[in-house]
Amino acid sequence: MTRTLTLPPALTQVRVHDAFWSPRLEANRACTLPVLHGKLQEVGALDAFDLDAYAERGITIPKTHHVTPQMWWDSDVAKWIEAASASLVTHPDPALDAQLDDVIARIAGAQQPDGYMNTYFTAIEPDRKLTNERDWHELYNAGHLIEAAVTHYQATGKTSLLDVVERYARFLSGVYGTGQGQRPGYPGHEEIELALLRLYHATGRREHLDFARYFIDQRGQFPNYFETEALARGDNPQDFWAGTYEYMQAHQPVREQSQVVGHAVRAVYLYAAMADLAAADGDAGLRAACERLWDDLTRHSLYVTGGLGPSASNEGMTRPYDLPNDSAYAETCAAVGLAFWARRMAALTGDAKYADVMERALYNNVLSGVSLAGDRFLYENPLESDGTHRRWAWHACPCCPPNLARLLASLGEYVYAVSAQDVTVNLYVGSTLSADVAGHALTLTQEGAYPWRGDVHFSMELDSPATFALRLRIPAWAQGATLSVNGEAQAVTPQQGYAVLTREWHSGDRIDLTLPLVPRRVYAHPAVPQDAGLVSLAYGPLVYCVEGVDQDAALHALSVPRGAALSARFDPDLLGGVTVIEGDAVADTATTADLYTDVPPPTRPARVTAIPYAVWDNREPTPMRVWLRESAR
């Protein structure tokens, strides 16, 4: 069914005022952003834009973190710019604004006369620039700079960085393409595709959309560009360290792909761009490919926490139903990218199943990537730990902290979607939306205590009565949801997962939605060998885990009886205030010192106390598990 083009609201159109999210957004603003800036300064990533000093230092830039100049440093700075710019929308801060101006001036000063912009290759290896897109990160860095420029422009109205990236995009579009004298190349690490589409939406300049389409269409064509490129620089294409172009989703044209393979972050960045282009162009082939790939991921390879990529060796995918828990890679960046893709798929199709996964990723794998204080981070997000997997203050590859920071700072773009004919509520986050709908100025205010409670309330202000559809997502787990308008009960008959209220709306109208929140057991498909005989616990969108510090038995010894009642209780003093799930359990006990015996171990009564996975590892080192043994009784 054809729908009017649906877009996320601008950053300036949404104000978040939510009991769950606001403290996390404040930690992001007040702690994470300055921590990131300080670390980027400490390791030399900011000073790298002083090209002469950078080149003189060669590869000896500070060893305090065992960091040397990196090909992707520009991207880390760009993501910080994007996060800081988004923060200015809701929290004007002259000091942060001036800090941004300083960094952007450094970037502009480092841009080359032809428009090229990459500190590493300009200062350290100028003879090797644009010679190895397979392995290096020039186009990836360019993408993040473009995204940063778009957000900075939208947040401040300044074009200082936008002018830089438009020059860079024009330079790159002269290098890459199918015309005479151009290289038929594309990035090994996808990112610039979705960035160019954001640039198109921000500027209306069709050449940016065309360039994005070129990169997407060219990917995986024969002969493979990465082999041609390797030969041109004197390398043997067969010596490719990853062994397969599946690693960067370049093994076949994107419209022919049906299985999510390779590096997880690269994959979801590509798919987000494909969905964006499908929406902008009405490209049915791209849309069909996105839907196939989505079904493959969610049916075969998505962790219950919304993470993806079980393998550290390729930071990505292995085979269907391979979902190890203690060695799960589930990179924070991959969950962030999944949220990008899911939001675009929800807008493209109007189907709430995509927003369901977006919510799962946001409330679980994304949030687990940062401590409650906002100053420590996770790259990998395992679903089981012996207590030694801890958040770190910094990393030799610090891509995840600024990626997570920019997503949190722009959370308002994920709560709603708006078209000329409807308003869609994808997330239940206390907030206020200001938008033009059906030719009228609308202010929609959302209130509630989600995800701890399921009562959500909306009120409207309109300049005059208006007829449009309000679409409220009914999560797949929300059995028995109820809905009323001005106290009058409404039938909840979801269309593609949304309760749709189409009527003439007036100022003062009130909508009340109740989503039943009860502890739930969640089971994996029997083909997942690592989760056979196990159960996980959930409450609303939150996946739960158990930490050893809360239990009276070792985690591996605990079993949750299948018929045992589970209860939920809000604890305002625990981990910033969380709902815990509690229930009766049994624990194996030892009656002999023998390592092996002929009789099963006896059990004793025990209790299980589970906390949201998002807040694990915020206390002392302790074992953690998402999946628990389940006993018959």
Side-chain angles (χ1 to χ4, degrees), residues 452-493:
W452 312 130
R453 295 202 305 271
D455 299 317
V456 187
H457 313 287
F458 298 89
S459 58
M460 288 192 182
E461 294 179 26
L462 284 158
D463 57 357
S464 61
T467 299
F468 60 89
L470 179 65
R471 306 171 73 242
L472 305 175
R473 182 176 61 90
I474 307 300
W477 50 259
Q479 303 300 311
T482 61
L483 179 63
S484 68
V485 177
N486 298 329
E488 182 179 342
Q490 307 291 312
V492 180
T493 52

Side-chain angles (χ1 to χ4, degrees), residues 575-587:
L575 296 164
V578 297
T579 292
V580 299
I581 294 177
E582 298 172 314
D584 289 332
V586 295

Side-chain angles (χ1 to χ4, degrees), residues 42-65:
E42 180 183 347
V43 301
L46 294 177
D47 289 341
F49 294 101
D50 179 0
L51 295 175
D52 291 337
Y54 182 36
E56 289 170 4
R57 291 187 233 180
I59 59 169
T60 62
I61 288 178
K63 299 178 180 178
T64 52
H65 294 283

Side-chain angles (χ1 to χ4, degrees), residues 9-15 416 418 423 431-437 440-445 461:
L11 285 168
T12 54
Q13 291 179 273
V14 181
R15 293 290 187 273
Y416 304 98
V418 181
V423 174
S431 54
T432 299
L433 167 70
S434 301
D436 291 329
V437 183
H440 295 264
L442 165 70
T443 300
L444 180 68
T445 299
E461 294 179 26

Side-chain angles (χ1 to χ4, degrees), residues 31 50 56 130 134 137 140 165 212 230 288 319 365 569 589 611:
C31 181
D50 179 0
E56 289 170 4
L130 300 178
R134 186 192 70 187
H137 287 69
Y140 167 81
V165 302
R319 59 189 181 278
N365 200 120
R569 172 179 61 84
T589 61
I611 62 169

Side-chain angles (χ1 to χ4, degrees), residues 11 20 23 33 45 73 81 109 207 280 408 424 435 467 532 537 609:
L11 285 168
F20 179 88
L33 289 180
W73 262 2
I81 291 173
E207 62 264 29
L408 294 183
T424 298
T467 299
L537 305 179
T609 300

Side-chain angles (χ1 to χ4, degrees), residues 65 80 102 115 156 200 205 233 260 285 310 344 393 396 467 485 491 509 523 527 538 560 568 623:
H65 294 283
W80 175 83
D102 171 70
T156 68
Y200 160 69
R205 293 176 180 162
R233 64 176 180 267
V260 179
R344 288 164 170 82
T467 299
V485 177
D509 281 346
Y523 300 92
V560 179

